[in-house]
Amino acid sequence: MIETPSLVDQYCHGVLRTELGLGTFEAHLARGEGPPAPGTTFFDTQTGFAVRRWCPPLLGLEPHCPPARYLARRRELGVPEAGRRLLRGSGITTYLVDTGLPGDLTGPGELAAAGTAEAHEIIRLELLAEQVADTSGTVESFLANLAESVHGAAVNAVAFTSLAGVRHGLALAPEPPGPGEVRGAAGRWLADRPVGGTLTDQVLLRHLLWIAVASGRPLQLHAGLGESEPGLRIDRTDPVLLTDFARATAGLGTDLVLLHGYPYHRHAAHLAGVFPHVYADLGAVLVRTGARAAAVLAEVLELAPFGKLIFSSGARGLPELHVVGARLFREALARVLGTWVAEGAWSLTDAQRVAGMIASENARRVYGLKG
Amino acid sequence: MIETPSLVDQYCHGVLRTELGLGTFEAHLARGEGPPAPGTTFFDTQTGFAVRRWCPPLLGLEPHCPPARYLARRRELGVPEAGRRLLRGSGITTYLVDTGLPGDLTGPGELAAAGTAEAHEIIRLELLAEQVADTSGTVESFLANLAESVHGAAVNAVAFTSLAGVRHGLALAPEPPGPGEVRGAAGRWLADRPVGGTLTDQVLLRHLLWIAVASGRPLQLHAGLGESEPGLRIDRTDPVLLTDFARATAGLGTDLVLLHGYPYHRHAAHLAGVFPHVYADLGAVLVRTGARAAAVLAEVLELAPFGKLIFSSGARGLPELHVVGARLFREALARVLGTWVAEGAWSLTDAQRVAGMIASENARRVYGLKG
Amino acid sequence: MIETPSLVDQYCHGVLRTELGLGTFEAHLARGEGPPAPGTTFFDTQTGFAVRRWCPPLLGLEPHCPPARYLARRRELGVPEAGRRLLRGSGITTYLVDTGLPGDLTGPGELAAAGTAEAHEIIRLELLAEQVADTSGTVESFLANLAESVHGAAVNAVAFTSLAGVRHGLALAPEPPGPGEVRGAAGRWLADRPVGGTLTDQVLLRHLLWIAVASGRPLQLHAGLGESEPGLRIDRTDPVLLTDFARATAGLGTDLVLLHGYPYHRHAAHLAGVFPHVYADLGAVLVRTGARAAAVLAEVLELAPFGKLIFSSGARGLPELHVVGARLFREALARVLGTWVAEGAWSLTDAQRVAGMIASENARRVYGLKG
């Protein structure tokens, strides 16, 4: 049996503090543009079935019990207690938490306490830029504050994450924009922008990426089925579009981590094989594909060197998703590697070593976490 | 064992009334630009092997018997009797039949009688437009007759189908074309067009799609490896190109059904998960991939909500293809879901429920068929 | 058990004559832009694990022994003796060898002698053009010598291979360039070119392809993860981009063989199904994906007619890669087809026949080799 005693979740969010009804819980099981179709429910998805498999036992129920029964039990325990039982049952020992999502979500400290785990913060670049814009009077002060903010955040944050792919598509010009170009774009954006306005300008998105690259912290890029914009054309987030940016940033000492990737996960694995500073994520896709997690994991393991893959849950809002991400990953990894050992393709020693690398060691090395 | 007693084939064609020799039969096993290469035969394909597996026993022969022996038996029984035995052996209880293909094919009524099943008609939009053009004298009468014809057809037809993707690629502008644009395009097309001439103008293709959307009937869109044009660049039919059209038609009350999809079936499944009114097809791809049907089916089951998948055979010309589509689907579904139950990932109850949804219930709901 | 006694490797390179240390050996296990990332090694890849599985026993060691021990044994035997043991252990009976790579690699004759096999030469078109350019004084003499060289090479070579996809992307205009266009491009290239300069001009690349098509020899086109340029955007080598070139060359009597293909191998299989003169390769991808070889092979077997698939190892530099290509192929083919036989989907007779076709018979027919 291949085991992974230590599990670093390299990308997730906090959990909701509020109680959820059947409908609000269900809404977190999918990433749709709208409610489920009439006559259907998001519980009838791989994510829904995976939640029903793994989570009821952690709250003292039978696997696959009906959603209404599960939610009744969750209410009975209360959100904090249910969250503690779930997070502690996930087996995750370290959470890296993107704190840039709106909504009443727990921060890294609360997540760590609830899960008796460690937690570190990931800074979302676009949110940082929007916050700086809210408090900067001029283009010059905005740009100076922006650089200072990113470098300041790099002191405590474990990584940066960028939504450039989700907001603009990943076909960004690979080189850093020139200073005049940046000033022009900043001027236009600040002039038009209401307080809290979203950053989508591609010059500023690229400028942000390059400030982050200069900080030396690992930079996580959303690719494939990503965050926040379910109806985006997914071909615009194909990680292959990052090839030229990867080449432009090679040798600078900053690692790039491609989050998600699916359904272009083989492309992400390819880039992780080609560029020494590029890593691929194995995470949210497992939560989305449920019973197919082992099959998808195996596809990523085709081209990616084993030192270049890192686990994450990609969970947001529901502690159930942290559980499902971790359990699916462990089971899928044990099944895939175990099969290869049984077939004689891999040795058991190698399989155990690779499992440890993907579950936690690669993350510890890339993010500089203590063992 | 997971069973699917009732089977609705949401997209197929009629069968040939004429007797077939070895070469003419073989030609229906592939969709090539030309005959098989010297030294090769289309019987040596997944489709050919699947026909040889499933059909001989229905005519009293051993599975996998040589093609010549099978065709001799088929001739011995005669086309009508062989067709009856095959269609009745398929297990399909309702056929939705696209009647827009040329050739001497049986209509829905004959298919129903031969298969002791129900049948309903699907109207091919482009053919309807070509027929209207043949009998309309002016642009004004053409456009008026076209709208009337589509709305008239919607009274009896169960759905519309469009070849816009196959004829023009799916990268169509998502919004409806303006009235002036439509009149201009209609004028140019009618002026240049011989009787029976094919509709490929993208403005008119889009106009047709929007008339169909207004009718409220489900609209089936060919995507991926589709109909009629084997040598088309398949990336031009990637369903991801329909993303903006899906967004433009959301909330209007008309469902979109993405036919085929393969090799971009994961993209079709993604759209079915994102947009409440988008459904994905599980059909012709199984006939094309034969022994791999379970593997391909499992890929579609990654992202698509289980209430958004619908079976079809995509069969045309040979009743053997209806048989193969239905048998491969049933076996693949039972194997995939059965494995997940055996692994503990799904409960048996859920697996049986989902099997019934994909085999017939989703189709009954979307097309308004009686149970 | 499904066996493949005869094995034609339709595309490989020679092996290095020099002794290799741990680092230089490791460098041949991946195709990266740079060394492995700090803390990682290319031995921790599917290719590395496959080498450690299959090769140590051929040199008298345990499978999966540590790399340092394997390389010590390799040095002990000496490069020639280790090479002989490995090549003879591969089971390859005929090598088709692309001699166009730089470096101190054995030619077809040496490979044949070391492996007690046959060998034939594949000519790399771009290298031929560069050699002709080195010795031609004028545009006219260059173009005349080029045509003569290609036709001369066709007398002895078994095939041509083109890197047009790797150098320019496969989205080349499908038709042959006009004579004036070719003269202009040749003039510009010859004027700017240092001796040994690389051919990347798309007009000349197309001109070369069409001279090769006129020769009647099979033309091998690199697609997907190809040779020489690991950091190229792989979507530019998607074989689907060859659709129009395939249509333009249909019926001319020259076969096109799509090498590699992965991760777009399903697209290559599709083209092999649509165009009578297009074939798909099953090779380098197996070496790259190791324990996943059977899964990838099965994906290619979805759409490609069984008479249109051909084995290769794609090996270069290390005889270990010839071994791994051959062993992975044999094991994967036996497992995939054996499973289909066990499931009743295929007959054993058909499976054995198809295995023989893919392993050697298709190659013998396409390349005109003696049985």
Side-chain angles (χ1 to χ4, degrees):
Chain A
M1 186 57 193
I2 290 148
E3 300 203 344
T4 47
S6 175
L7 203 50
V8 176
D9 183 347
Q10 77 158 345
Y11 185 81
C12 67
H13 302 280
V15 300
L16 289 160
R17 294 193 183 89
T18 49
E19 201 163 276
L20 298 168
L22 201 59
T24 44
F25 187 92
E26 181 189 354
H28 283 84
L29 299 177
R31 297 271 175 80
E33 291 218 334
T40 76
T41 157
F42 291 149
F43 280 104
D44 284 345
T45 55
Q46 293 285 4
T47 306
F49 279 25
V51 165
R52 288 177 51 221
R53 173 194 196 178
W54 295 110
C55 298
L58 295 174
L59 305 190
L61 301 173
E62 290 292 296
H64 303 295
C65 75
R69 187 160 154 211
Y70 177 76
L71 285 166
R73 173 67 178 151
R74 204 180 190 272
R75 274 192 302 275
E76 188 181 296
L77 290 166
V79 170
E81 176 59 18
R84 276 190 294 274
R85 293 193 187 193
L86 290 163
L87 292 172
R88 286 168 197 190
S90 73
I92 295 169
T93 47
T94 305
Y95 296 94
L96 309 192
V97 186
D98 173 359
T99 54
L101 271 186
D104 183 25
L105 298 170
T106 57
E110 279 171 278
L111 206 62
T116 55
E118 277 184 53
H120 302 276
E121 186 170 11
I122 299 164
I123 298 291
R124 195 176 273 224
L125 288 170
E126 291 79 11
L127 180 67
L128 197 69
E130 288 153 14
Q131 290 167 340
V132 170
D134 285 346
T135 57
S136 299
T138 64
V139 167
E140 281 65 34
S141 70
F142 167 70
L143 292 175
N145 294 343
L146 185 62
E148 197 178 330
S149 283
V150 173
H151 290 290
V155 175
N156 292 310
V158 78
F160 290 104
T161 191
S162 165
L163 292 176
V166 178
R167 296 229 175 136
H168 180 270
L170 288 172
L172 294 157
E175 69 283 356
E181 211 183 343
V182 170
R183 269 195 303 275
R188 285 187 299 276
W189 185 51
L190 293 175
D192 295 347
R193 178 179 184 272
V195 168
T198 299
L199 176 63
T200 59
D201 177 83
Q202 67 112 341
V203 169
L204 294 179
L205 290 171
R206 285 163 55 211
H207 178 61
L208 260 179
L209 288 175
W210 281 96
I211 302 178
V213 165
S215 81
R217 283 280 174 207
L219 175 57
Q220 300 177 333
L221 299 160
H222 289 262
L225 287 186
E227 297 272 316
S228 308
E229 303 270 359
L232 186 81
R233 266 183 54 175
I234 47 165
D235 55 336
R236 296 197 174 134
T237 61
D238 184 338
V240 86
L241 299 171
L242 281 171
T243 306
D244 296 330
F245 183 71
R247 186 177 298 101
T249 55
L252 300 179
T254 297
D255 290 326
L256 306 181
V257 182
L258 307 181
L259 296 180
H260 310 296
Y262 180 96
Y264 304 103
H265 46 297
R266 280 168 158 165
H267 300 181
H270 162 66
L271 291 178
V274 167
F275 293 104
H277 67 309
V278 174
Y279 291 77
D281 177 53
L282 255 181
V285 59
L286 306 183
V287 174
R288 303 290 300 279
T289 59
R292 285 284 295 169
V296 174
L297 171 66
E299 291 182 353
V300 179
L301 284 168
E302 287 163 7
L303 280 196
F306 311 133
K308 306 297 282 305
L309 284 175
I310 312 183
F311 163 71
S312 81
S313 71
R316 61 193 284 184
L318 304 181
E320 280 82 358
L321 300 179
H322 297 81
V323 170
V324 161
R327 294 294 182 101
L328 284 171
F329 169 71
R330 282 190 144 137
E331 194 198 52
L333 193 67
R335 187 183 315 158
V336 170
L337 305 194
T339 302
W340 293 342
V341 171
E343 292 170 358
W346 286 28
S347 74
L348 179 60
T349 310
D350 281 330
Q352 281 169 329
R353 187 169 59 84
V354 168
M357 288 161 61
I358 301 175
S360 63
E361 287 161 36
N362 293 338
R364 290 189 195 287
R365 191 177 65 248
V366 168
Y367 296 105
L369 308 173
K370 278 170 288 180
Chain B
M1 186 57 192
I2 290 148
E3 300 202 345
T4 48
S6 174
L7 203 50
V8 176
D9 183 347
Q10 76 157 348
Y11 185 81
C12 66
H13 302 280
V15 301
L16 289 160
R17 294 193 183 87
T18 49
E19 200 164 277
L20 297 168
L22 199 60
T24 45
F25 187 92
E26 181 189 353
H28 282 83
L29 298 176
R31 296 270 176 79
E33 291 219 331
T40 76
T41 157
F42 290 148
F43 280 105
D44 283 346
T45 55
Q46 293 285 4
T47 306
F49 279 26
V51 165
R52 287 177 51 219
R53 173 195 195 176
W54 294 110
C55 298
L58 294 175
L59 305 190
L61 301 172
E62 291 291 297
H64 302 295
C65 75
R69 188 161 153 211
Y70 177 76
L71 285 166
R73 174 66 178 153
R74 205 180 189 271
R75 274 191 302 275
E76 188 181 295
L77 289 166
V79 169
E81 176 59 17
R84 276 190 293 273
R85 293 194 188 193
L86 289 163
L87 291 172
R88 286 169 197 190
S90 74
I92 295 168
T93 47
T94 305
Y95 297 94
L96 310 191
V97 187
D98 173 0
T99 55
L101 272 186
D104 183 24
L105 298 171
T106 58
E110 280 172 276
L111 207 61
T116 56
E118 278 184 50
H120 303 277
E121 185 170 12
I122 299 164
I123 298 291
R124 194 175 274 224
L125 288 170
E126 291 78 12
L127 181 66
L128 197 69
E130 288 153 13
Q131 289 166 342
V132 170
D134 285 345
T135 58
S136 298
T138 66
V139 168
E140 281 65 33
S141 70
F142 167 70
L143 292 174
N145 293 344
L146 185 62
E148 198 178 328
S149 283
V150 173
H151 290 289
V155 175
N156 292 311
V158 78
F160 290 105
T161 191
S162 165
L163 292 176
V166 178
R167 295 227 176 138
H168 181 270
L170 288 172
L172 294 156
E175 70 283 357
E181 211 183 343
V182 170
R183 270 195 302 275
R188 283 188 299 277
W189 185 51
L190 294 175
D192 295 347
R193 178 178 184 273
V195 168
T198 299
L199 176 62
T200 59
D201 177 82
Q202 68 112 340
V203 169
L204 294 180
L205 290 171
R206 285 163 55 210
H207 178 61
L208 260 179
L209 288 175
W210 282 96
I211 302 178
V213 165
S215 81
R217 283 280 175 207
L219 175 56
Q220 301 176 333
L221 299 160
H222 289 263
L225 288 185
E227 298 272 313
S228 306
E229 302 269 358
L232 186 81
R233 264 183 55 175
I234 49 166
D235 56 336
R236 296 197 175 133
T237 61
D238 184 337
V240 86
L241 299 171
L242 281 170
T243 306
D244 296 330
F245 183 71
R247 185 177 299 100
T249 56
L252 300 179
T254 296
D255 290 326
L256 307 181
V257 182
L258 308 181
L259 296 180
H260 309 297
Y262 181 97
Y264 305 103
H265 47 298
R266 280 169 159 164
H267 301 182
H270 162 65
L271 291 178
V274 167
F275 293 103
H277 67 309
V278 173
Y279 291 78
D281 176 54
L282 254 180
V285 59
L286 306 183
V287 174
R288 301 291 300 278
T289 59
R292 286 284 296 170
V296 174
L297 170 67
E299 291 181 353
V300 179
L301 284 168
E302 288 163 8
L303 280 195
F306 312 133
K308 306 298 281 306
L309 284 175
I310 312 183
F311 164 72
S312 81
S313 71
R316 61 194 283 185
L318 306 181
E320 279 83 358
L321 300 179
H322 297 81
V323 170
V324 161
R327 294 293 182 101
L328 284 172
F329 169 71
R330 281 189 144 138
E331 195 198 52
L333 194 66
R335 189 184 313 160
V336 169
L337 304 194
T339 302
W340 293 342
V341 171
E343 293 170 358
W346 286 29
S347 74
L348 178 60
T349 310
D350 281 330
Q352 280 169 331
R353 188 169 58 83
V354 168
M357 288 162 59
I358 301 175
S360 63
E361 287 160 35
N362 293 337
R364 289 190 196 287
R365 191 178 66 248
V366 168
Y367 296 105
L369 308 174
K370 278 171 289 183
Chain C
M1 186 55 193
I2 290 148
E3 301 202 345
T4 47
S6 174
L7 203 51
V8 175
D9 182 348
Q10 78 158 345
Y11 186 81
C12 66
H13 302 280
V15 300
L16 289 160
R17 294 191 182 89
T18 49
E19 200 163 278
L20 297 168
L22 200 59
T24 44
F25 187 93
E26 181 189 353
H28 282 84
L29 298 177
R31 297 270 175 80
E33 290 219 331
T40 76
T41 157
F42 291 149
F43 280 105
D44 283 346
T45 55
Q46 293 285 3
T47 306
F49 279 25
V51 164
R52 287 177 51 219
R53 172 193 196 179
W54 294 111
C55 299
L58 295 175
L59 306 190
L61 301 173
E62 290 292 297
H64 303 295
C65 75
R69 188 161 152 210
Y70 177 76
L71 284 167
R73 173 66 178 153
R74 204 181 190 271
R75 273 193 301 276
E76 188 182 297
L77 290 167
V79 170
E81 176 59 19
R84 277 191 293 273
R85 293 193 187 193
L86 290 163
L87 291 173
R88 287 169 195 189
S90 73
I92 295 168
T93 47
T94 305
Y95 296 94
L96 310 192
V97 187
D98 173 0
T99 54
L101 272 187
D104 183 25
L105 298 172
T106 57
E110 279 171 277
L111 207 62
T116 55
E118 277 184 52
H120 303 276
E121 186 169 12
I122 299 165
I123 298 291
R124 193 175 273 224
L125 288 169
E126 292 78 13
L127 180 66
L128 197 68
E130 288 153 13
Q131 290 167 340
V132 170
D134 286 344
T135 57
S136 299
T138 65
V139 168
E140 281 66 33
S141 70
F142 167 69
L143 292 174
N145 294 344
L146 186 61
E148 198 179 329
S149 283
V150 173
H151 290 290
V155 175
N156 291 310
V158 79
F160 289 105
T161 190
S162 165
L163 292 176
V166 178
R167 296 228 176 138
H168 181 271
L170 288 171
L172 295 157
E175 70 283 356
E181 212 182 342
V182 170
R183 270 196 302 275
R188 283 187 299 277
W189 185 51
L190 293 175
D192 294 347
R193 178 180 184 273
V195 168
T198 299
L199 176 62
T200 59
D201 177 82
Q202 68 111 341
V203 170
L204 294 179
L205 290 171
R206 285 163 55 210
H207 178 61
L208 260 179
L209 288 176
W210 281 96
I211 302 179
V213 165
S215 81
R217 284 281 174 206
L219 175 56
Q220 300 177 332
L221 298 160
H222 290 262
L225 287 185
E227 297 272 314
S228 308
E229 302 269 359
L232 186 81
R233 266 183 54 176
I234 49 167
D235 56 335
R236 297 198 173 132
T237 60
D238 184 338
V240 85
L241 299 171
L242 282 170
T243 306
D244 296 331
F245 182 71
R247 186 178 298 101
T249 55
L252 300 180
T254 296
D255 290 325
L256 306 180
V257 181
L258 307 180
L259 296 180
H260 309 297
Y262 181 95
Y264 303 104
H265 46 297
R266 279 168 159 164
H267 301 182
H270 162 66
L271 290 178
V274 166
F275 293 103
H277 66 309
V278 174
Y279 291 78
D281 176 54
L282 254 181
V285 60
L286 305 183
V287 174
R288 301 290 300 277
T289 59
R292 286 284 295 169
V296 174
L297 171 66
E299 290 182 353
V300 179
L301 284 168
E302 286 163 7
L303 280 196
F306 311 133
K308 306 296 281 305
L309 284 175
I310 312 184
F311 163 71
S312 81
S313 71
R316 60 194 284 184
L318 305 181
E320 280 83 359
L321 300 179
H322 297 81
V323 170
V324 161
R327 294 294 182 101
L328 285 171
F329 169 71
R330 281 189 144 139
E331 195 199 52
L333 193 67
R335 188 183 316 158
V336 170
L337 304 194
T339 301
W340 293 342
V341 171
E343 292 170 359
W346 286 29
S347 74
L348 178 59
T349 310
D350 281 331
Q352 282 169 330
R353 188 169 59 85
V354 168
M357 288 162 62
I358 301 175
S360 62
E361 286 161 36
N362 293 337
R364 290 190 195 286
R365 191 178 67 250
V366 169
Y367 296 105
L369 308 174
K370 280 169 287 179

